[in-house]
Amino acid sequence: MHGRVKVRTSEEQAAAKKLEREKKIKKYQGVTEEIYARREAGSLDEELLKLTETLLAWNPDHYTVWNIRREVIVNILTYSEVEAKTELFKRELHFLEMCLKVNPKSYGTFMQRRWVMSNNPDPDWKHELALCDLFLSYDERNFHCWDYRRFSIGKSEISPMEELEFSQKKIESNLSNYSAWHYRSKLLPLCYPADTLLPSVSADSSSVQEDKLLQEFDIVTNAIFTDPNDQSTWFYQQWLLGRAHKEERLLFFMHFPSNQMLLLVFNQPVNKDLLNEVQVLISGNILQLEWSAHGSPPTWPCSLWTAVLISVDTSVNLECRFRERALNLFTSSVCAPSVNLEEIGPAISLTAAKSGVLHTHCEAICELLSIEPDNKWCHLTALQLRWAIDPDSSAAKIMDHFSALEKEDPHRKGCYQDMKSKFLIETGIPSFLKKRDFSHLNLSGLGLTRLYHTHFFSAVSILDLSNNRLTNMQGLSVLVTCQELNLDGNLLTEVEEDILFLIRLRILSLKSNLIEKEDSLLLLEKIDSIHQLNIEGNPILKERDSSLLINLFSNLILNCGATSTS
Amino acid sequence: MAVSINDVKLPDIPERKSLLLDLHVKSLETYGKDKNDLEYVMSEYFRMNGVYWILTALKLIGKEDKLEKNEVLEFVLSCQRPNGGFGGNIKNDPHLLYTLSAIQILAIYESLDKIDSDKVADYIAGQQQEDGSFIGDKWGEVDTRFSLCALASLMLINRLERVNIEKAVDFVVRCMNFDGGFGCVPGSESHSGQIYCCLGALAITNRLYKVQADVLGTWLCERQLKSGGLNGRPEKLPDVCYSWWVLASLKIIGRIKWIDADKMKDYILACQDEESGGIADRPGDITDPFHTLFGLTGLSLLGHYKGEIKPVNPVFCMPEEILEKLGIKIYLLR
């Protein structure tokens, strides 16, 4: 029951209404029962056709009655002459048009129209398109009608190019016609397919020729200037900026002799199939290895893969080959290749043409922003463009946009904080990797609410994530070499299974979090390497006698405030 | 030209409203008792959904005893057709929409042993098409809603392997759009209801990694309007049922913190009927079990009223405790 306002009525009105309602109910039930009865009796005739008409005009979503109506039509067609058949289809289409006028958003009516048109020996698709145009002129966002239009287009000889023009017209008449922008995103890859062999998701803008994609920025800029408060253009721009596929690269190759484990870290989650392309050689001989994903749910693509390697002399030469690259391990147990920065940067590949167009686009938006300094969509647009074009040198401005967004649009603070976390981590990765010193990394006090790209840190020994706003342990499972992890002053409510994948973890500090549940702490018992744990300042200590916890963790140094043990 | 924002207006200083659970229980248990309710009569063909909404709402607040279990079970079983599928009511045809509701009711009552699971699974598997999609019934309507109905039903009766999962997933992924959302069929515009269905289908088949969580999350959190209510698509009015479709979707992709939970609560509470109970789509409208359930589940997902409303599972829209009993564990994004 949608959009029916509750109205107050006097007693008299109520009585009159009740009477009227009773009559309606009686009639409705009478017709329904007769329909069921006639169907049961097998009288699939004109009479039943009329009855269903009465009921469906009233209740166009009654699926069983539509089914019965179709049964009747199928039956009548079996004994009708050609002319009568044509007449029946004509009549049905007319009836459906009447139904649409009463309720233009009925699943049942559109379903019936599809069925009728699919069975109609002489379909007039032009008429169907005209009908869609009419109903889209009443409501340009009616998704039933858009879907039916696409269905009709599929049956007619209308090219995607003509449809692209149609979407252009729709956008020109109303820039915030989200349905039309959506349609454009589907048509562009059909009209101007990119010359690429890369497998792409149908939704991806990288499947569109670049010059056409760049032309779209003009349309978007124009639209933003006409109405800077419209979300359609922002979503469309986000799509244009794209999410290019990065080639899979091997980031790290590690060997942990004491764990009898080999480990590969890729620049992105990969499927197990890809491991077939990996060769590990020991003194020149290829090893037969069984790879398993490390830290992801079963069968998910994963960026970390491990294999068992039993009793190898640590002085031996291990080599890992993947595609054009070979990584060698000698005495050190961690090998990181020289890192190519494009692996980490923005999700788009910037050709000269693209970055030129984006620069111009960005300048225009910033101009607009100077006129509308509080406009959320302008901030978002500028932020996104700067992030894509040159995140390092515009970092300060990007952070200003984040502050403005949190202020202007506080409802979505959570979203902006996560985006900011992603930005901070993403822009920090290149300098961290360039340094080639993985002994420690300090990410404390950055206001991180979510961890992104942590597999780039999988070779770090000491990681400080204290004084952030993390609420869960998502992203931590990839920290395989981490020996000291500081999570003090976050918003963690429990210890999660991610921590079990930190096979070298010795010191874990969880001071001043919100951990309440004891059973989640018990998980830590499963990590053999751990020998120091700090849980001071967590609610669990208020409810529990800390001596019980001390007993639980008798084999390690436990710091829970008042009492410390060793 | 400025866009007029479609929204409703709540009082500037929202009064602190409370959750009127007792009234909601009353409205749920008496729903349909008035034989002169035309709406009720006209919804006769989807009674199975109605029973599921009422039972789930009551179960979530521990008042399931307000329904006569045996009566309900008898009704559900009487709606099963010879081909194994369930209809929306006794004289109605089998359809995936009602088959799911029937199975959910049986699961909540821990009575799944009352049906022949293989027979039901035969029916459901028979609806899968060559391209992996599912038709709702033999008349051939295809929609991602039916993908969720089929997969969720099969999961509940432990027969997921009866369909081609790869193909089912492929079809859902083909419905993905530029905004990260999903539509009814490939090519259709994103809609919060369909997004929920597609995410549910991907969650059940353990394929949530295929979702572009940040892109989709951004779109979903933009559904929240100034009033605190959520709409289903850009420029549309808020409606309490989206406190389910949108919030469950955000929960599935681990981004529920991307909306303002307090404003959402204010909106849902403002949609309560303070005289006769129940929750409506918008403040001041007539209430019904559908919106009452989705108002309560929305509050549950956000962690409001923890002592009064039990945790709800964002994929199945059933109490978590039921899924735990069935041993169903679904990986969600975090």
Side-chain angles (χ1 to χ4, degrees), chain B residues 18-90:
Chain B
S18 49
L19 179 65
L20 308 168
L21 272 190
D22 292 343
L23 274 181
H24 299 331
V25 172
K26 213 176 113 197
S27 90
L28 288 167
E29 71 176 310
T30 53
Y31 186 73
K33 297 268 161 77
D34 173 9
K35 296 289 171 227
N36 282 318
D37 184 351
L38 181 62
E39 290 296 325
Y40 182 79
V41 171
M42 283 180 70
S43 65
E44 154 268 342
Y45 70 92
F46 61 90
R47 186 70 59 240
M48 188 68 79
N49 293 152
V51 173
Y52 155 73
W53 296 327
I54 292 172
L55 175 63
T56 307
L58 290 172
K59 180 84 185 171
L60 281 170
I61 49 183
K63 299 282 184 201
E64 66 274 22
D65 56 347
K66 298 284 177 192
L67 286 188
E68 275 297 327
K69 179 177 170 178
N70 288 334
E71 244 172 59
V72 173
L73 288 178
E74 198 185 314
F75 165 76
V76 171
L77 296 174
S78 70
C79 293
Q80 191 175 22
R81 302 282 86 91
N83 67 1
F86 289 79
N89 205 329
I90 294 168

Side-chain angles (χ1 to χ4, degrees), chain A residues 425 441-448 450-451 454 457 462-470 472-476 479 482 484-492 509 513:
Chain A
I425 296 174
L441 174 64
N442 185 355
L443 293 174
S444 69
L446 293 174
L448 303 180
R450 176 183 289 275
L451 294 177
T454 39
F457 309 135
I462 302 175
L463 179 60
D464 187 353
L465 278 167
S466 64
N467 300 315
N468 283 300
R469 304 181 60 76
L470 299 174
N472 63 42
M473 296 196 154
Q474 178 273 130
L476 294 181
L479 302 171
C482 187
E484 285 185 42
L485 179 60
N486 186 344
L487 286 163
D488 294 350
N490 279 286
L491 305 168
L492 302 171
S509 194
N513 276 281

Side-chain angles (χ1 to χ4, degrees), chain A residues 406 413-422 447 449 469:
Chain A
E406 282 185 46
K413 215 165 48 192
C415 172
Y416 303 134
Q417 287 169 348
D418 280 4
M419 275 167 79
K420 190 165 76 184
S421 304
K422 188 178 190 176
T449 49
R469 304 181 60 76

